[in-house]
Structure formats: structure tokens, C-alpha cells
Amino acid sequence: MKIEIGKVLKAQGIKGELKLACFVDDAVMLKGLKQVYIGTNTYAVNHVRCDGKFCYMLLDGVIDRNMAESLRNWTVYADKDAVDLPKNRYFIDDLIGCKVSSSDGQIVGEVMDILQYGSADVFVCRNDGKEVSFPFLNDLVLTVNIDSKSILLDAKRLSEVAVYED
């Protein structure tokens, strides 16, 4: 499975380096990539350097500025399993569909959407036609099990931060 990791903003320098706007939380997660996909082409990654939310890549076959410029505005993909996620970090598509429950046994619902606001991602769950939203906080989320598609929340903390919609 492939995931979007960034978008080519421009050529950087004269040797074909690409400047990417990163779609991942931390550009450093891309340092171990061996190959990426742009359009219908596969490129071996020769070098990656990171600067904040930007990533600079040298790709095999992109040998000069003109070739790099021809890739401007293209989306860059990588194999999902090639991206090195830090502990307790997850891909959004792995969390969508997870069943959420609280430590007191209540069913919160199924994750339908994840809104990204900066300070904390907000999970939107639906259960029996009703929605509940809550921030993904360290003191709220007790466990996440991607294999069983389940998330367990602290019931007391959930009662403090959850927003219910009719």
C-alpha cells in the first residue's frame, strides 16, 4: 500500500534535488526511504535531508535542475511499510474504522474521521447515529491496537474532554 508523503515544491540547486512539503508529522520519518513514486515512475532515493516540515531528496535519474523542475507540483508516494513511525504514532487510515470504548465498558463508537488542528488531532466517532469528538491526548488514550482495530480510552478523562452532538 502506498501513502502520500509530500508534494514537490521546486527544484533545489542545480544537481536535481527536490524540495518537498511533507505530509507526515515529522520529515525525519522519511530519512530511511529507499524508493518513492511520482506519477507512474519509481525512483530510488539517493539522499534525504530534512528541515522542519520540508524534505530535500536526491532521486536516481533526476540529474539536473530541469528534470527536477519537471516534477514540480507532483505528489510523492512511498510504500506505507517503508515509513518508520515512532512508537505510539499511527497512520490516519489505520485508525479510521477502529472501535472505541472506555475503561468503564461503554462503547464510544467507530472512528469516522480525524481532524488535524495542530495541538492535538480530534477523533470523530459515530455510534447509533450520534457523534462524539475528543482530542487524541496521552492521558486519555490508554491503548491503541491496530491489529484488532480497537482503541481504549480512560472513562474519567473522556467525560472531561468529549463533545457530543445529536
Side-chain angles (χ1 to χ4, degrees):
M1 176 183 222
K2 293 178 181 62
I3 60 167
E4 292 182 7
I5 59 165
K7 181 178 181 177
V8 178
L9 296 176
K10 67 176 191 153
Q12 181 72 24
I14 62 171
K15 295 183 180 180
E17 188 176 41
L18 302 172
K19 179 179 182 180
L20 276 65
C22 291
F23 295 162
V24 294
D25 289 345
D26 186 358
V28 173
M29 294 172 14
L30 305 178
K31 285 194 133 205
L33 291 179
K34 302 290 185 229
Q35 68 181 14
V36 295
Y37 308 93
I38 303 174
T40 58
N41 298 317
T42 302
Y43 296 93
V45 178
N46 293 334
H47 183 71
V48 177
R49 62 186 176 95
C50 305
D51 182 18
K53 288 295 287 178
F54 300 104
C55 178
Y56 300 87
M57 286 188 175
L58 277 173
L59 304 179
D60 194 39
V62 181
I63 58 171
D64 61 24
R65 184 175 185 84
N66 290 337
M67 290 181 82
E69 274 297 326
S70 72
L71 298 173
R72 182 189 286 254
N73 294 321
W74 282 85
T75 301
V76 181
Y77 297 85
D79 292 314
K80 182 178 177 181
D81 57 358
V83 177
D84 188 27
L85 281 179
K87 184 179 179 185
N88 296 326
R89 301 292 283 274
Y90 310 96
F91 292 112
I92 288 175
D93 68 321
D94 287 339
L95 296 169
I96 299 293
C98 282
K99 306 294 184 206
V100 181
S101 58
S102 62
S103 58
D104 63 0
Q106 297 294 319
I107 302 298
V108 176
E110 180 178 333
V111 177
M112 305 305 291
D113 197 5
I114 298 174
L115 311 172
Q116 296 182 297
Y117 291 118
S119 60
D121 293 345
V122 176
F123 282 46
V124 179
C125 294
R126 187 171 294 129
N127 187 16
D128 292 331
K130 296 183 179 179
E131 284 190 2
V132 59
S133 301
F134 57 88
F136 195 79
L137 303 172
N138 290 335
D139 63 342
L140 170 63
V141 180
L142 299 176
T143 61
V144 175
N145 187 323
I146 297 301
D147 295 328
S148 68
K149 299 289 280 181
S150 63
I151 299 173
L152 180 63
L153 305 177
D154 179 85
K156 181 178 182 302
R157 187 69 172 120
L158 180 64
S159 68
E160 298 169 352
V161 298
V163 176
Y164 295 88
E165 295 183 24
D166 293 327

